[in-house]
């Protein structure tokens, strides 16, 4: 018999002997501590310790005692020991756990009864992203890409801050860059492949776009600036940016001298050894004309401008529940595959249930808002419910600084669950902004078909709207 089989047989015999001794009451040894064999498998001496759940202190919100399919928002602020209970579903969680997570994500702790199956993660707090810090306290950035939301293959987001005078150094990307200014003001500059130049000053609410490969730089004006960047590649990383500093540092000085018309080698003695990324600089001149450098190719034509002053545009749609401001290539032609909606939702109101036929949506929440498809929350607190077909549905909670991503064709709503306005941006990879409203769809379908399909009464179906509502008052 092989030795390892013999050893296993011997151990089994020892265990059986211990059980027989325990059952007969015979002593198993003189030690006051349990032997290792007495702890293996069943032994009546080990006993069972029952948990006393009667002493667990907790309280339930009224909405938790309702039918789980009602799915009302649960505000666990001030609730003692929140529990994963909805109607007749769930049970107690005695802990240990961090109730702060439950307060931030009540629909994960006690999801609506309509949640079912599995939906890929659609939420990422930028507060959990690694912060890349600039030099001389000139700013910082943090990003979200497929490393954080694996399903977000079409778009990635970056939240960046530049202090007054701070630069995001001269650079370019393999991905196209769309940006929304969150606060403050910034001067942007670029040069095209034909040598045309561009410079503009932007403020909160304005937008810029740089095609892939176009070199550009950013410098914060007085008071600094913070902006959202959206790239058309879900795997994009700020670390893979092409930089002016590295172009010069990674080419031989002799080649640099030839390239620039025979400058002495000493001209390159003090160039940076590598990336500056974000760094402090000489404040930009008040008069932008001083930086309007023009070559033989002239400046970029207005119709091909890299910026759009969206802050000056009127709302596209205004409803009792909020407003929507749309920007797409119809008004901003250079951003040929970027369409966005800046959405404001009043407390209790809902961005109506809808889906996008052309692209996925990325959402990010920063201090007072949200982006969908690629979504970015700028302010407020919200939840998004996603239906992903095959019976799968899930609800996610969003707060300032969170990002979200909803894949193409999946229905979703955005509900303001707080007491302040929610402001968010829905960003699509599309040549125009579009969605299909569930309300309008059934409102324009013959009533009898809807009644037969959903088992609804004629009085209910007759209330359906034939026009999109965008934001519905709560």
């Amino acid at each position: 018999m092989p030795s390892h089989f013999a050893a296993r047989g011997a151990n089994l015999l020892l265990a059986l002997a211990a059980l027989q001794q325990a059952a007969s009451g015979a002593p198993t040894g003189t030690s006051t501590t349990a032997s290792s064999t007495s702890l293996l498998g069943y032994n009546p001496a080990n006993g069972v310790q029952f948990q006393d759940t009667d002493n667990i202190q907790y309280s339930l919100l009224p909405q938790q005692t309702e039918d789980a399919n009602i799915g009302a928002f649960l505000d666990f602020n001030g609730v003692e020991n929140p529990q994963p209970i909805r109607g007749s579903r769930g049970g107690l969680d005695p802990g240990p756990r961090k109730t702060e997570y439950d307060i931030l994500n009540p629909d994960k702790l006690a999801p609506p009864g309509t949640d079912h199956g599995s939906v890929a993660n659609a939420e990422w707090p930028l507060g959990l992203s690694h912060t890349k810090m600039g030099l001389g306290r000139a700013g910082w950035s943090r990003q979200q890409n497929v490393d954080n939301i694996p399903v977000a293959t079409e778009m990635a987001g970056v939240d960046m801050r530049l202090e007054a005078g701070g630069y995001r150094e001269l650079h370019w990307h393999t991905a196209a860059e769309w940006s929304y200014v969150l606060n403050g003001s910034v001067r942007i500059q670029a040069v095209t492949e034909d040598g045309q130049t561009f410079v503009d000053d932007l403020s909160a609410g304005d937008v810029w776009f740089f095609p892939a490969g176009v070199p550009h730089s950013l410098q914060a004006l007085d008071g600094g600036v913070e902006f959202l960047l959206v790239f058309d590649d879900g795997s994009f990383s700020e670390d893979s940016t092409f930089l002016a500093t590295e172009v010069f540092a990674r080419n031989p000085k002799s080649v640099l001298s030839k390239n620039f018309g025979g400058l002495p080698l000493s001209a390159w003695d003090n160039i940076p050894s590598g990336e500056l990324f974000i760094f402090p600089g000489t404040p930009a001149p008040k008069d932008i004309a001083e930086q309007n450098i023009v070559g033989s190719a002239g400046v970029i034509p207005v119709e091909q401008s890299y910026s759009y002053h969206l802050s000056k545009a009127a709302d596209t749609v205004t409803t009792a529940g909020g407003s929507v401001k749309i920007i797409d290539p119809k008004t901003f032609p250079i951003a040929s595959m970027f369409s966005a909606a800046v959405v404001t939702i009043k407390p209790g109101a809902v961005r109506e249930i809808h889906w996008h036929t052309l692209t996925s949506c990325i959402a990010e929440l920063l201090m007072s808002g949200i982006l969908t498809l690629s979504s970015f929350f700028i302010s407020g607190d919200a939840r998004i419910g996603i239906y992903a077909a095959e019976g799968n549905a899930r609800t996610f909670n969003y707060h300032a600084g969170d990002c979200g991503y909803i894949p193409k064709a999946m229905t979703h709503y955005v509900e303001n669950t707080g007491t302040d306005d929610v402001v968010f941006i829905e960003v699509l990879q599309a040549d125009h902004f579009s969605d299909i409203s569930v309300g309008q769809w059934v409102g324009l379908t013959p009533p009898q078909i809807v009644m037969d399909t959903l088992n609804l009464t004629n009085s209910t179906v007759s209330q359906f709207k034939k026009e999109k509502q965008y934001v519905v008052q709560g």
Side-chain angles (χ1 to χ4, degrees), residues 195-435:
Q196 294 172 320
T197 57
F198 173 85
V199 62
D200 195 12
D201 290 342
L202 304 181
S203 300
D206 292 337
V207 173
W208 78 70
F209 175 82
F210 293 122
V214 170
H216 54 280
S217 68
L218 317 168
Q219 185 176 25
L221 301 177
D222 291 348
V225 67
E226 184 176 1
F227 45 87
L228 166 72
L229 299 168
V230 180
F231 297 91
D232 61 355
D233 178 0
S235 61
F236 174 84
S237 171
E238 276 287 292
D239 295 329
S240 61
T241 298
F242 292 89
L243 306 170
T245 51
E246 292 188 337
V247 170
F248 280 74
R250 304 308 168 199
N251 278 287
K253 293 182 178 180
S254 60
V255 173
L256 291 176
S257 290
K258 290 180 181 180
N259 189 79
F260 288 93
L263 288 173
L265 292 175
S266 60
W268 320 112
D269 286 349
N270 297 317
I271 60 173
S273 60
E275 176 187 60
L276 293 179
F277 180 51
I278 292 173
F279 66 100
T282 305
K286 300 295 183 183
D287 185 358
I288 193 173
E290 294 182 31
Q291 294 190 320
N292 188 22
I293 309 301
V294 181
S296 60
V299 299
I300 292 177
V302 171
E303 61 272 15
Q304 297 175 25
S305 173
Y306 289 147
S307 63
Y308 187 86
H309 292 264
L310 185 63
S311 63
K312 306 297 191 298
D315 291 337
T316 307
V317 177
T318 301
T319 73
S323 64
V324 178
K325 183 183 291 188
I326 293 173
I327 179 172
D328 61 19
K330 295 177 183 178
T331 53
F332 190 25
I334 192 67
S336 59
M337 288 299 291
F338 274 87
S339 298
V342 182
V343 182
T344 299
I345 305 176
K346 295 181 179 179
V350 176
R351 167 74 167 99
E352 67 174 336
I353 304 171
H354 64 284
W355 75 90
H356 302 272
T357 59
L358 301 175
T359 179
S360 299
C361 165
I362 187 170
E364 302 179 54
L365 170 63
L366 185 69
M367 297 281 306
S368 73
I370 172 178
L371 290 154
T372 66
L373 297 196
S374 170
S375 296
F376 183 88
F377 282 83
I378 299 171
S379 66
D381 300 297
R383 66 174 178 172
I384 297 179
I386 301 172
Y387 161 61
E390 298 182 340
N392 296 310
R394 188 161 292 182
T395 308
F396 299 87
N397 300 104
Y398 296 83
H399 309 278
D402 288 358
C403 309
Y405 188 91
I406 300 93
K408 181 169 63 175
M410 294 185 183
T411 71
H412 51 285
Y413 64 84
V414 183
E415 180 184 13
N416 185 337
T417 58
T419 57
D420 299 319
D421 286 356
V422 161
V423 181
F424 71 93
I425 308 171
E426 303 182 6
V427 180
L428 315 180
Q429 279 288 297
D431 61 4
H432 66 282
F433 186 88
S434 66
D435 64 22

